[in-house]
Amino acid sequence: MHKHIVVTGVAGFVGSNLAKRLLDAGHRVRGIDNLSAGTLENVDSRVDFHEADIRDPHIEGLFEGADAVFHLAAKNCLSECLKDPLAAASINVVGTLNVLEASRKARVGKVIYADTSAEYEGISEFPSKETSIRPIGVYAASKHGGAAFCESYRELYRMRITVLRYFNVYGPAQDWRRVIPPVMSAFIIRMLSGERPLIYGTGEKRRDFIYVSDVNDFHLLALEDARTDGRVFNVGSGKNFSVLEIYALIEEQLKSGLAPTHSPDLPGEAQITLADITESRALGWEPKVDIREGLRLSIEYIRERVMYEAPGPRNA
Ligand SMILES: NC(=O)c1ccc[n+]([C@@H]2O[C@H](COP(=O)([O-])OP(=O)(O)OC[C@H]3O[C@@H](n4cnc5c(N)ncnc54)[C@H](O)[C@@H]3O)[C@@H](O)[C@H]2O)c1
């Protein structure tokens, strides 16, 4: 059945990909974003778009009649969160609470919250299971605050809420404009520009990368499947790659001949992420896009859509 769905953070990387996928499946999408990080060019023209801040109490009306809400809007650049922890808490905790309150008042049928693998950053046993978390950094703590209110609203008001802990999502429309862009976009842009890719630290950090269409498969499943109500799921690939391995996989396709350069490591980043996806798989979901294919599609997108713009940091 076709639904009326609200997506917060619709101008961002995951939100814009999700909106397209929902629209293609025949759903109606109302999108909310304050364009602090996302861009209008990401937003599909079929989206009923509203430029608004998730902390604004007046957004309540935008949730009227919604069957489901995907809450993705967040401040999610680690270094920006560290620099301005009050803003991180205001957006990720208070903003989430405002979205939950609006969803409660509008009697929204289901809320899906975008949580993060950073919840596991203080735990050194791998793969990470949903059952034990230890958020440490400002970003992780603020996303955890949002998730805690999801749990609270589920208990207090019996709302149907699902929490998804994304690992490193990659693919088209990844936010390459950040001061420190996500590793894959950063490498691809530099190598296509004839510059040597920059690695922070030794390049041995390992990340569980998941292609955005696999994440969207899970979104669609969570929308329809009542078994996901009131539960938390890891959304990762269950495999991880070091930064150096990612460089080698990109170089295999680009054949740039450009060796990486290194600069000092970034503070507050986990050494390893790796998802235990047993619970997610038990629902019948399976990550389908392998890393070489995901990188090929990411390179294609950057070649066609990014390289004509002068890549530079959005905010210093
Ligand atoms: N991309 C990943 O690898 C990843 C991993 C784990 C979790 N997540 C979570 O997934 C969600 C989406 O991430 P993304 O990668 O698409 O990020 P993104 O930065 O591309 O998108 C976030 C969007 O939220 C908007 N936004 C920020 N503050 C807002 C506010 N106060 N009001 C309204 N809109 C606001 C931004 O303008 C942006 O368009 C986030 O909640 C993030 O924490 C992402």
Side-chain angles (χ1 to χ4, degrees), residues 109-112 158-162 222-226 229-230:
K110 172 123 190 185
V111 176
I112 293 145
R158 298 281 149 215
M159 284 170 67
R160 294 174 55 214
I161 302 180
T162 301
L223 187 63
E224 305 295 348
D225 193 329
D229 294 355

Side-chain angles (χ1 to χ4, degrees), residues 7 14 21 23 42 49 67 102 104 118 120 132 154 158 160 169 200 214-216 221 244 247 259 267 280 302:
V7 177
V14 182
R21 182 71 179 269
L23 289 159
N42 280 345
F49 178 72
D67 298 302
R104 179 183 73 79
Y120 302 114
S132 40
R154 188 180 70 78
R158 298 281 149 215
R160 294 174 55 214
V169 188
Y200 295 93
D214 285 328
V215 177
N216 281 332
L221 186 149
L244 283 168
Y247 160 75
S280 304
I302 289 176

Side-chain angles (χ1 to χ4, degrees), residues 31-188:
I32 300 174
D33 202 298
N34 69 352
L35 303 179
S36 57
T39 62
L40 264 185
E41 82 201 32
N42 280 345
V43 183
D44 191 289
S45 58
R46 295 167 292 173
V47 171
D48 170 23
F49 178 72
H50 294 260
E51 185 174 341
D53 195 299
I54 51 163
R55 292 164 292 179
D56 181 347
H58 297 110
I59 60 170
E60 257 179 44
L62 298 177
F63 292 72
E64 290 300 330
D67 298 302
V69 170
F70 285 90
H71 175 42
L72 274 63
K75 188 172 187 67
N76 61 5
C77 172
L78 261 65
S79 60
E80 285 177 26
C81 287
L82 257 183
K83 221 189 293 170
D84 195 347
L86 292 180
S90 163
I91 297 165
N92 297 351
V93 186
V94 179
T96 297
L97 186 52
N98 197 37
V99 167
L100 288 169
E101 213 19 33
S103 304
R104 179 183 73 79
K105 288 183 182 159
R107 299 181 187 279
V108 168
K110 172 123 190 185
V111 176
I112 293 145
Y113 173 70
D115 201 4
T116 168
S117 60
E119 292 264 27
Y120 302 114
E121 66 194 6
I123 295 179
S124 47
E125 276 153 43
F126 301 99
S128 304
K129 289 189 195 311
E130 286 89 345
T131 39
S132 40
I133 52 169
R134 191 163 171 250
I136 295 173
V138 171
Y139 169 64
S142 66
K143 292 294 291 185
H144 179 66
F149 275 112
C150 289
E151 176 64 18
S152 157
Y153 269 55
R154 188 180 70 78
E155 285 285 327
L156 287 175
Y157 304 113
R158 298 281 149 215
M159 284 170 67
R160 294 174 55 214
I161 302 180
T162 301
V163 171
L164 302 183
R165 290 198 191 124
Y166 308 154
F167 280 65
N168 275 60
V169 188
Y170 74 104
Q174 198 177 41
D175 186 9
W176 51 269
R177 294 176 183 82
R178 284 188 195 178
V179 180
I180 300 171
V183 62
M184 289 171 171
S185 298
F187 283 2
I188 296 168

Side-chain angles (χ1 to χ4, degrees), residues 218-233:
F218 205 102
H219 284 143
L220 261 73
L221 186 149
L223 187 63
E224 305 295 348
D225 193 329
R227 290 176 299 170
T228 62
D229 294 355
R231 293 176 63 194
V232 179
F233 294 92

